[in-house]
Amino acid sequence: MSLRQLLLRLPCYLGASGPQRGPLDTISSVVSWRGQSSRSPAHWNQVVSEAEKIVGYPTSFMSLRCLLSDELSNIAMQVRKLVGTQHPLLTTASQRSLAEITELIHTALLVHRGIVNLDELQSSDGPLKDMQFGNKIAILSGDFLLANACNGLALLQNTKVVELLASALMDLVQGVYHENSTSAKENHITDDIGILTWKEQTFLSHGALLAKSCQAAMELAKHDAEVQDMAFQYGKHMAMSHKINSDLQPFIKEKTSDSLTFNLNSAPVVLHQEFLGRDLWIKQIREAQRKGRLDYAKLRETIKAGKGVTSAIDLCRYHGNKALEALESFPPSEARTALENIVFAVTRYS
C-alpha cells in the first residue's frame, strides 16, 4: 500500500466510533503523497504496518460491497441510502471526497508531466507519430481528471473550499512553470536561484496543494481559523520535508549508480552552490564535464564533500519539526501518532 492510499484511508476507522470527528481525522483524510520514504524498507514498512492497523478497510461507498463479506454487503447499500440526508456518518464521506479531489488534481499533474519533448527525441526512442499520439492522450487524460476534480469541488457546495483548491491549482501550475524554466539540462549550468527562491518555488509546486487541502478539510469540518491554520502548517512543512528528502536520495543512498543523474536545482545542490559561491560552482561544473556531457558521479562526490548535503538534512529536519509542532496543538490520538510517524519516516537519517 502506498503512503497516499494509506493516508486517504486513515480517517475511516477513526470516524466509525461516533458522529463527532476530530480535526486530526479530517487532516488524515486529505494528506496524499506519491513515492516512497527515504528510510530503509524495514523502517518504512513498520510505519505503514502500524498505520494500517488504524485504517482497517476503506469505506468508500463504491468499494464497501467488494470488500465486505456477502453477509455484510447490505451495510454498504444502507450507507449509500444515506446520501441526501443529514446523517453524521456522511461527514466522513465529505472528507473522503475532498481527499479524492486532491488526488485527482495531483494525478492530473503527473499525467501532464509525462508529455514528451518531441524536439529532443532520437531515432532510438521510437516512431515520432507514436510519441505525438501519446502526448495527445496525456493531455486529454490530464484534462479529464481535472474536469472531474472541478465537478467534485462543485458538489461539495462550499465556496471557501472551492477557493482554496482553485488557488492551490494556480500555485501548482505557477510552481511547475518556474521549475521547468529553471531546471538545467545536463550540458547547462544550474541557475543561481538561492535557497530562499528554491523554498518559494518548492512550496508552489509541491506544498500548496497539500497545505490548502488540509486547510480545506478543516473548513469542511467547520473548525475555526486557528485549527485551519495548524492544518495548513502541517501540510506545508510535511510537503517541504518530503521534497528535500527526495532531493537527498542521490547523495545519501549507500548504493548509487555512477550513471544516476540528479537535478542541479535540487536542495543539496542549491545549498552547496550558496556556500561555495557562484564562480567556484561554475568551475566545479566545468571540471565535471566530459566531451560536452556532465559526469554526475564526479559532481556528486564533489557536492558530498561540501556542506550542501548536511545542510539539506538539517533543513529537512527543520521542516519536519515544524510539522510536528503543528500536530502538538491537537489532542493525542492514533491519528496524530500515525501522522507523526510519517514525518519521522522522512526526517530521520542515520
Side-chain angles (χ1 to χ4, degrees):
M1 177 183 292
S2 70
L3 175 57
R4 172 187 63 80
Q5 294 170 321
L6 172 65
L7 291 176
L8 287 177
R9 299 176 182 183
L10 188 56
C12 301
Y13 175 83
L14 300 172
S17 59
Q20 299 298 322
R21 288 174 52 77
L24 280 176
D25 303 341
T26 51
I27 289 179
S28 303
S29 298
V30 297
V31 178
S32 56
W33 277 107
R34 64 274 193 190
Q36 299 295 326
S37 166
S38 67
R39 300 291 295 153
S40 64
H43 175 84
W44 179 245
N45 290 339
Q46 180 181 356
V47 172
V48 173
S49 177
E50 291 173 355
E52 281 178 335
K53 295 177 183 178
I54 302 174
V55 172
Y57 285 110
T59 56
S60 169
F61 294 157
M62 300 306 296
S63 61
L64 272 175
R65 189 175 180 89
C66 298
L67 292 171
L68 296 175
S69 64
D70 292 338
E71 293 78 8
L72 297 176
S73 62
N74 65 316
I75 295 177
M77 302 305 298
Q78 295 300 322
V79 170
R80 295 185 68 180
K81 291 179 181 179
L82 296 176
V83 176
T85 71
Q86 298 299 317
H87 196 282
L89 180 60
L90 291 184
T91 302
T92 302
S94 178
Q95 301 300 330
R96 187 176 182 87
S97 295
L98 177 61
E100 291 170 351
I101 290 167
T102 301
E103 191 59 26
L104 277 175
I105 294 173
H106 173 231
T107 304
L109 173 69
L110 295 182
V111 172
H112 279 160
R113 279 186 167 181
I115 296 173
V116 176
N117 186 347
L118 299 179
D119 293 334
E120 297 180 356
L121 285 180
Q122 300 179 2
S123 57
S124 59
D125 294 326
L128 178 61
K129 289 185 178 181
D130 290 347
M131 296 298 180
Q132 290 174 332
F133 178 77
N135 279 354
K136 292 178 181 179
I137 294 299
I139 293 172
L140 290 173
S141 300
D143 290 348
F144 174 78
L145 294 176
L146 285 176
N148 276 273
C150 292
N151 182 63
L153 275 177
L155 293 176
L156 292 178
Q157 298 182 353
N158 186 304
T159 54
K160 185 173 181 180
V161 170
V162 173
E163 179 184 353
L164 283 169
L165 269 293
S167 65
L169 181 57
M170 180 179 68
D171 292 339
L172 193 61
V173 173
Q174 182 180 349
V176 172
Y177 173 80
H178 286 300
E179 204 174 67
N180 291 339
S181 63
T182 58
S183 62
K185 298 179 182 179
E186 63 181 45
N187 58 343
H188 287 76
I189 297 175
T190 181
D191 295 315
D192 186 14
I193 62 173
I195 193 61
L196 292 179
T197 303
W198 181 90
K199 283 185 176 183
E200 293 173 359
Q201 294 180 5
T202 299
F203 171 73
L204 291 175
S205 60
H206 292 82
L209 180 60
L210 182 62
K212 293 183 178 181
S213 294
C214 289
Q215 182 181 350
M218 301 298 100
E219 166 63 23
L220 277 180
K222 303 187 185 317
H223 290 293
D224 59 28
E226 183 178 356
V227 174
Q228 290 185 29
D229 182 62
M230 289 299 99
F232 178 92
Q233 294 301 324
Y234 175 82
K236 170 186 174 181
H237 291 291
M238 179 59 211
M240 295 295 290
S241 62
H242 185 274
K243 178 60 170 67
I244 298 169
N245 175 281
S246 177
D247 286 354
L248 279 164
Q249 293 312 297
F251 303 95
I252 63 175
K253 284 183 177 179
E254 294 181 0
K255 296 181 180 180
T256 304
S257 171
D258 290 340
S259 61
L260 179 66
T261 62
F262 51 87
N263 193 326
L264 294 182
N265 282 315
S266 61
V269 181
V270 171
L271 286 166
H272 174 78
Q273 174 183 306
E274 199 164 79
F275 281 114
L276 198 65
R278 179 68 172 172
D279 293 338
L280 287 177
W281 170 239
I282 293 175
K283 181 180 178 181
Q284 288 184 350
I285 286 281
R286 290 172 176 168
E287 289 176 348
Q289 288 179 333
R290 295 288 185 272
K291 298 180 179 179
R293 298 181 66 87
L294 194 58
D295 185 347
Y296 280 95
K298 181 177 181 179
L299 188 60
R300 180 168 52 248
E301 294 305 315
T302 300
I303 294 171
K304 288 171 66 175
K307 299 180 180 179
V309 174
T310 55
S311 297
I313 292 175
D314 291 340
L315 186 61
C316 180
R317 288 171 174 163
Y318 166 80
H319 285 290
N321 288 334
K322 285 293 184 180
L324 294 175
E325 287 178 14
L327 290 178
E328 288 176 359
S329 61
F330 301 110
S333 67
E334 288 181 311
R336 170 175 159 175
T337 300
L339 293 172
E340 289 171 342
N341 287 339
I342 290 167
V343 176
F344 295 147
V346 296
T347 56
R348 286 179 177 171
Y349 299 89
S350 58

